[in-house]
Amino acid sequence: MTNLDASPIRRSTRPAADRRDRRTAVRTAAKHLGLILLALIMLYPVLWMAVSSLRPNDEIFRSPGLVLDGLQAENYPLGWEALASPFGHYMINSAIVVVGAIIGNLVSCSMAAYAFARLDFTGKRWWFAIMLGTIMLPIHVIIVPQYIMFSQIGWVNTFLPLIVPKMLATDAFFVFLMVQFIRGLPRELDEAARIDGAGHPRIFLRVILPLMVPALATTTIFTFIWTWNDFFSQLIYLTDPDMYTVPVALRSFVDSTVATSWGSMFAMSVVSLIPIFLAFLIGQRFLIKGIATTGIK
Amino acid sequence: MTALSELQRLRASRGGSARKRDNKAAFLFLLPWFAGLLLITAGPIVMSFGLGFTDYNLIEAPQFNGLDNFERMLTDERLHHALGVTFTYVLVSVPLQLACALGLALLLDRGLRGMSFYRSAFYLPSLLGSSVAIAVLWRQIFGAEGMVNQVLDLIGVQGRGWISDPDTALSTLVVLNVWTFGAPMVIFLAGLRQIPVMYYEAASVDGAPRWMQFRKITLPLLSPIIFFNLVLQIIHAFQSFTQAFVVSGGSGGPSDSTLFYTLYLYQRGFNNFDMGYASALAWLLLVIIGAFTAVNFWAAKHWVFYDD
């Protein structure tokens, strides 16, 4: 609103406006300064952790700043080998869970979304309401019976309890996101395909899926980040150190080491955050759009 | 636009169509979802209701024990403590977080240069906040010799062991939750963009000062989004687990000061394998979150403004 007055023509012709311009400019500069300062404060802890992971242990407790005296990368090999298996082992475990979850979500949620967005069936309103309700259902409410069920079929300490639910479209948030997206696609496309004799599976695969790539990308990135970060269910289902994923391994690292090895702990923390950071850089556009249109973290 | 408004719309619309239905195709497309509902979500909810009336340790068969679990809740002091900790956390951290989110969204709104940079910088913590790595970091920076105290030392303030002191341990987790205000901020930004500029222009012409414009235009038109964020962040905050677990080493300490409800539930269920009681606790959590949400919806009638 303030820069309405800032048009160059006015500036050259009217001295009063000139003064006002300068005041606006000062105010804008102050605002930017404040915002940059705030952004720095927000990101400071993470930056500090990254820098500290390159410091000797005793220095971590002496240097709140970001300037490195010298580069000391040995925390990384130390942290990498600190647990029963090299840290890469846990990263592979996490990657398996993440890939399984992504494939599961993409396939099952897009199918469900197609039905809710395009098909007419008995009790649709009710099913849809139930689906929306499950978005807000906390996992803690269902984890006990779920655990009992999975432990009885011998799935504890496998990745199945973390992947199979995703194959069954239980991340209803993504179903909703895709329903919203499909509703935005012109129905004429379906009709044209139908006239050409295509059935629903064909319309879904040939018409709708190729058009919903942005929604699929959003789903992929969110699933990646949430699954990579997810701690609660991985802590519960993976108790064998060989099956640990990154968050569970990191946590066992914290518990098993005394306060002397913060450097290597920070190093592995940084390693565990790199994939999230990369996903953020690559998928920023989809992430922002995804939460802006469906409104969920 | 949101799942909530969708629900409200559903409640308002009535009646179906007499057109030919695609029941068979729909069933096939929804098959995975139906299976998930039965086995993973709704089924377990029903099952945990049943288990709530039993004594069950995973090894022997569940023993029906009537209302024992619920009577036990009445005298379980750790549970009462966990409820207090959780309520405090939710009621303090959510308003603070949303206030930051709204404040920043207002600052960033409309044609600010470098807006996408700021948005990214403020949003990034939301993605990192729930990770174990950040919890590890928090444990260090709020420790007795941690980074925060080093900074305080520079300006001559005597710090303390923020995490080891029962009086301040929970505050460090509140700070962590406020730190993740980026996600609601992005939602606010999207909402602010929906408000037509001409409203403000008209108000400016009439000489309304900016705080008046904020009160009479921005707040009412943004109130559905505020409501949405409030409902969501409350539900979200009730489920916080990772940070308290890692920061306290799984104990909820010191002196149970970070014993979140979910953490207590985890301890009963998965440390003590007290599955019957844990099921009852899970149901209580569902009821509490449901009650909070219902109160929110009820209160919304008095302050949320719907344009249509």
Side-chain angles (χ1 to χ4, degrees):
Chain A
M1 214 96 327
T2 37
N3 40 22
L4 272 181
D5 306 7
S7 85
I9 308 143
R10 280 194 192 170
R11 191 183 305 163
S12 55
T13 50
R14 293 217 320 246
D18 200 24
R19 223 175 307 130
R20 214 182 318 149
D21 277 357
R22 220 172 302 140
R23 222 173 42 214
T24 311
V26 169
R27 216 197 285 160
T28 313
K31 188 171 169 182
H32 278 288
L33 201 67
L35 283 170
I36 289 173
L37 207 66
L38 196 63
L40 191 68
I41 293 172
M42 288 284 288
L43 297 178
Y44 197 84
V46 182
L47 293 172
W48 182 79
M49 174 162 75
V51 170
S52 293
S53 71
L54 297 167
R55 282 176 174 146
N57 269 306
D58 53 332
E59 213 189 307
I60 293 177
F61 287 90
R62 277 189 282 113
S63 315
L66 292 180
V67 183
L68 275 175
D69 282 346
L71 202 87
Q72 205 210 25
E74 69 186 31
N75 285 326
Y76 282 83
L78 273 176
W80 192 268
E81 299 294 344
L83 295 170
S85 311
F87 206 74
H89 179 80
Y90 308 117
M91 301 202 47
I92 291 171
N93 284 350
S94 267
I96 295 171
V97 175
V98 165
V99 169
I102 289 176
I103 295 173
N105 270 346
L106 286 179
V107 173
S108 65
C109 295
S110 64
M111 284 170 65
Y114 179 77
F116 282 124
R118 284 296 203 250
L119 302 179
D120 187 23
F121 52 94
T122 316
K124 175 169 163 176
R125 271 164 17 93
W126 287 108
W127 294 118
F128 193 58
I130 290 172
M131 191 275 291
L132 291 176
T134 58
I135 293 182
M136 288 160 229
L137 187 73
I139 182 179
H140 313 88
V141 172
I142 52 176
I143 193 75
V144 171
Q146 220 187 70
Y147 180 84
I148 294 169
M149 183 177 78
F150 286 137
S151 75
Q152 262 157 14
I153 52 177
W155 281 12
V156 171
N157 279 318
T158 71
F159 298 135
L160 293 171
L162 305 168
I163 296 174
V164 170
K166 312 285 173 184
M167 308 220 153
L168 302 179
T170 47
D171 270 353
F173 165 62
F174 297 118
V175 179
F176 177 62
L177 183 134
M178 292 182 192
V179 167
Q180 295 292 79
F181 194 89
I182 296 175
R183 279 176 178 168
L185 300 173
R187 271 193 184 261
E188 288 76 20
L189 296 171
D190 306 32
E191 300 298 333
R194 196 189 314 259
I195 291 165
D196 287 347
H200 285 298
R202 211 182 154 89
I203 297 176
F204 171 64
L205 286 173
R206 294 289 166 83
V207 180
I208 301 292
L209 262 192
L211 289 174
M212 58 189 281
V213 168
L216 300 178
T218 308
T219 303
T220 304
I221 290 163
F222 268 117
T223 308
F224 178 89
I225 293 175
W226 288 350
T227 314
W228 187 271
N229 274 345
D230 171 42
F231 178 61
F232 188 68
S233 50
Q234 298 180 6
L235 173 74
I236 283 170
Y237 286 117
L238 307 174
T239 52
D240 170 5
D242 211 37
M243 299 302 286
Y244 279 179
T245 51
V246 169
V248 190
L250 206 53
R251 176 259 163 168
S252 76
F253 196 173
V254 179
D255 284 2
S256 65
T257 45
V258 271
T260 51
S261 52
W262 278 100
S264 44
M265 223 139 65
F266 275 178
M268 289 310 101
S269 297
V270 170
V271 167
S272 80
L273 290 181
I274 287 173
I276 303 288
F277 191 68
L278 290 179
F280 170 69
L281 283 185
I282 298 167
Q284 225 194 105
R285 201 161 47 92
F286 296 108
L287 285 170
I288 303 274
K289 215 168 161 1
I291 46 171
T293 51
T294 44
I296 286 198
K297 212 192 267 207
Chain B
M1 170 185 151
T2 62
L4 283 188
S5 49
E6 190 73 27
L7 269 178
Q8 284 163 334
R9 196 182 61 80
L10 270 181
R11 213 171 49 174
S13 75
R14 285 256 162 251
S17 63
R19 276 177 296 138
K20 182 178 157 289
R21 294 182 188 275
D22 318 294
N23 279 342
K24 215 170 107 188
F27 182 72
L28 288 176
F29 274 97
L30 285 173
L31 199 56
W33 182 77
F34 277 131
L37 187 68
L38 189 71
L39 295 170
I40 310 290
T41 45
I45 295 181
V46 176
M47 190 171 150
S48 80
F49 185 72
L51 283 171
F53 299 95
T54 65
D55 186 11
Y56 183 38
N57 61 7
L58 271 187
I59 299 161
E60 296 147 54
Q63 293 280 318
F64 179 76
N65 66 359
L67 291 172
D68 281 7
N69 287 331
F70 297 92
E71 274 167 32
R72 185 171 154 196
M73 281 178 183
L74 294 176
T75 53
D76 183 349
E77 276 174 22
R78 279 198 90 203
L79 170 65
H80 302 163
H81 191 79
L83 281 170
V85 169
T86 310
F87 286 147
T88 310
Y89 174 75
V90 170
L91 294 177
V92 174
S93 78
V94 172
L96 281 177
Q97 184 206 37
L98 290 185
C100 289
L102 182 58
L104 260 297
L106 289 169
L107 271 180
L108 292 186
D109 189 32
R110 297 231 161 93
L112 183 74
R113 201 176 295 172
M115 140 93 169
S116 62
F117 163 77
Y118 294 127
R119 191 178 54 189
S120 301
F122 294 134
Y123 176 60
L124 187 61
S126 306
L127 293 179
L128 307 178
S130 65
S131 66
V132 172
I134 293 299
V136 170
L137 173 64
W138 238 245
R139 211 165 130 150
Q140 200 284 341
I141 62 179
F142 285 105
E145 295 165 72
M147 192 260 274
V148 168
N149 282 352
Q150 294 169 38
V151 173
L152 287 177
D153 205 40
L154 289 179
I155 54 171
V157 176
Q158 177 68 44
R160 51 162 122 187
W162 304 96
I163 281 174
S164 53
D165 184 338
D167 290 336
T168 51
L170 186 60
S171 324
T172 66
L173 299 179
V174 170
V175 171
L176 181 47
N177 198 35
V178 175
W179 188 61
T180 63
F181 69 75
M185 180 197 76
V186 171
I187 299 172
F188 278 137
L189 276 172
L192 284 172
R193 235 177 253 172
Q194 306 279 321
I195 302 177
V197 187
M198 58 179 194
Y199 289 1
Y200 295 104
E201 285 167 358
S204 289
V205 169
D206 290 345
R210 296 199 52 174
W211 66 268
M212 184 80 102
Q213 296 180 19
F214 173 73
R215 267 196 50 198
K216 299 287 179 187
I217 302 173
T218 312
L219 266 190
L221 288 177
L222 204 60
S223 60
I225 311 282
I226 299 175
F227 170 65
F228 174 75
N229 270 333
L230 188 67
V231 170
L232 222 67
Q233 294 304 329
I234 286 180
I235 295 178
H236 192 79
F238 266 113
Q239 300 177 51
S240 296
F241 173 82
T242 308
Q243 315 311 340
F245 186 91
V246 175
V247 163
S248 71
S251 70
S255 314
D256 284 347
S257 59
T258 59
L259 186 69
F260 283 162
Y261 194 97
T262 52
L263 188 48
Y264 185 58
L265 189 143
Y266 172 85
Q267 290 180 356
R268 305 288 0 144
F270 299 95
N271 288 346
N272 304 63
F273 291 102
D274 197 350
M275 291 297 184
Y277 191 52
S279 296
L281 287 176
W283 260 86
L284 180 62
L285 179 65
L286 187 65
V287 170
I288 291 172
I289 294 181
F292 264 77
T293 310
V295 168
N296 250 324
F297 267 89
W298 172 81
K301 273 189 257 171
H302 302 282
W303 67 273
V304 178
F305 172 81
Y306 285 103
D307 209 5
D308 41 47

